[in-house]
Amino acid sequence: QSQLEESGGGLVQAGGSLRLSCATSGRTSGSFAMGWFRQAPGREREFVAAIRWSGGSVFYADSVKGRFTISRDKAKSTMYLQMNSLKPEDTAVYYCAADPSIIQSSLFSHRNYRYWGQGTQVTVSS
């Protein structure tokens, strides 16, 4: 069983940067993967990025490609989301998620992740 603890987030002006962190406990071997999702008011939770823990393969939503970078530090059991060139439309609650055995095609839907962080607010002002 994994527990996820998020940190980071806050208020930033458009064009600015923020970094989110998500520390995980529990086993991270095998098909373990983690991801970031976000949810704006009145909208469904949407995929932002995901990373395979073992091999480091990364995946991004088209809306954040070239601006956001997902990474992980195995020694610290922590995943990061570096967000650059932030836009007002990036404003949302950001959640980290994890699953111990998730296939690649399932990485992009929040319904396929077993464990979730508490969420952190990111607000980008124009």
Side-chain angles (χ1 to χ4, degrees):
Q1 186 171 357
S2 295
Q3 290 187 320
L4 306 179
E5 185 172 346
E6 297 183 41
S7 59
L11 173 64
V12 65
Q13 288 188 330
S17 298
L18 284 173
R19 189 176 82 157
L20 306 181
S21 301
C22 179
T24 180
S25 61
R27 186 177 176 184
T28 57
S29 59
S31 300
F32 186 83
M34 296 185 72
W36 290 99
F37 290 78
R38 65 187 182 187
Q39 188 166 20
R43 300 188 66 176
E44 189 171 344
R45 193 168 297 190
E46 66 173 2
F47 171 77
V48 175
I51 186 166
R52 281 281 185 204
W53 200 261
S54 293
S57 299
V58 298
F59 308 85
Y60 294 98
D62 288 343
S63 59
V64 306
K65 277 181 184 175
R67 300 189 298 122
F68 291 11
T69 302
I70 188 172
S71 63
R72 87 301 194 214
D73 184 328
K74 287 187 173 181
K76 296 182 178 180
S77 296
T78 300
M79 173 182 67
Y80 303 97
L81 185 68
Q82 178 65 43
M83 304 184 291
N84 298 329
S85 302
L86 282 160
K87 305 175 181 180
E89 50 263 44
D90 293 317
T91 295
V93 177
Y94 283 70
Y95 298 90
C96 67
D99 195 279
S101 58
I102 185 170
I103 61 174
Q104 182 166 319
S105 60
S106 297
L107 289 170
F108 310 102
S109 173
H110 63 90
R111 295 177 178 85
N112 300 320
Y113 287 79
R114 204 169 310 182
Y115 305 110
W116 289 87
Q118 76 279 11
T120 185
Q121 178 70 46
V122 172
T123 303
V124 185
S125 62
S126 57

